[in-house]
Amino acid sequence: MIDRDGYRPNVGIILCNAKNEVFWGKRIKEHSWQFPQGGIKAGESPEQAMFRELEEEVGLQSQHVKIIGRTRDWLRYDVPQNWVRREWRGSYKGQKQIWFLLRLTGRDCDVSLRASSHPEFDAWRWHHYWVPLESVIEFKRDVYRLALNELVGYLNKSE
């Protein structure tokens, strides 16, 4: 599902604990770290996609988290052409994302990176909110910066 401008709808998830540290996942078999994210399927709302992706990638269900904020508008990033699937070249530019800020209401042991048959992460940790963007793949860094800056104001309001 690609929009007329060439962007695939997607959600990004910033999951924080009671200390306002964020979930930082290591991409499977890579040395890059990122927040959970994933595509929005036809007929899904961004919130429905977020809960599905959260369960698939992190093993958490809706009862384990509380939504404390979301970006107002879509945040976009372009994917370098050499990363684009051959069949999408010419029509696909990148991703447009709605970002959600969640508070973990469950426990750390509720996290399960093997919740799906195609895991995204092989390790995770809690990291202070301002994650090191140099460990994020370069073409996503600006979107991460925008999302973190827009959502930081919700952290202390959520208590």
Side-chain angles (χ1 to χ4, degrees):
M1 197 168 75
I2 299 172
D3 72 12
R4 67 177 178 212
D5 296 322
Y7 292 92
R8 180 175 170 247
N10 196 282
V11 293
I13 302 167
I14 302 172
L15 172 67
C16 63
N17 63 16
K19 299 177 193 173
N20 290 338
E21 297 169 321
V22 294
F23 175 96
W24 203 220
K26 185 182 143 321
R27 301 253 327 148
I28 200 159
K29 299 179 184 172
E30 294 180 22
H31 296 290
S32 62
W33 292 75
Q34 70 174 52
F35 294 129
Q37 69 173 57
I40 299 173
K41 295 180 178 179
E44 251 183 347
S45 70
E47 187 173 312
Q48 289 168 326
M50 179 272 297
F51 281 121
R52 179 181 48 75
E53 289 293 337
L54 184 69
E55 186 168 359
E56 288 174 6
E57 295 189 5
V58 184
L60 295 174
Q61 298 177 352
S62 60
Q63 69 265 24
H64 296 122
V65 298
K66 174 182 164 191
I67 299 173
I68 57 176
R70 65 168 271 178
T71 56
R72 202 173 8 206
D73 296 314
W74 295 101
L75 303 180
R76 291 173 172 76
Y77 65 82
D78 290 347
V79 174
Q81 280 301 302
N82 59 315
W83 285 69
V84 176
R85 292 180 187 167
R86 192 169 273 119
E87 65 270 17
W88 287 5
R89 288 189 186 151
S91 63
Y92 177 78
K93 285 186 183 173
Q95 309 264 18
K96 66 179 187 180
Q97 297 177 312
I98 295 291
W99 282 83
F100 289 87
L101 179 63
L102 307 179
R103 171 83 63 209
L104 178 67
T105 56
R107 301 173 314 201
D108 286 7
C109 63
D110 294 323
V111 172
S112 173
L113 301 182
R114 302 286 179 247
S116 83
S117 57
H118 300 293
E120 293 282 329
F121 305 117
D122 58 17
W124 72 277
R125 66 179 180 222
W126 292 115
H127 200 286
H128 66 84
Y129 186 82
W130 298 106
V131 294
L133 294 180
E134 63 274 1
S135 62
V136 175
I137 195 158
E138 190 173 357
F139 60 86
K140 293 182 183 181
R141 290 178 190 166
D142 286 340
V143 163
Y144 271 56
R145 188 176 295 105
L146 290 168
L148 289 164
N149 281 324
E150 183 174 343
L151 296 171
V152 70
Y154 290 103
L155 283 181
N156 296 325
K157 292 179 187 175
S158 70
E159 304 312 322

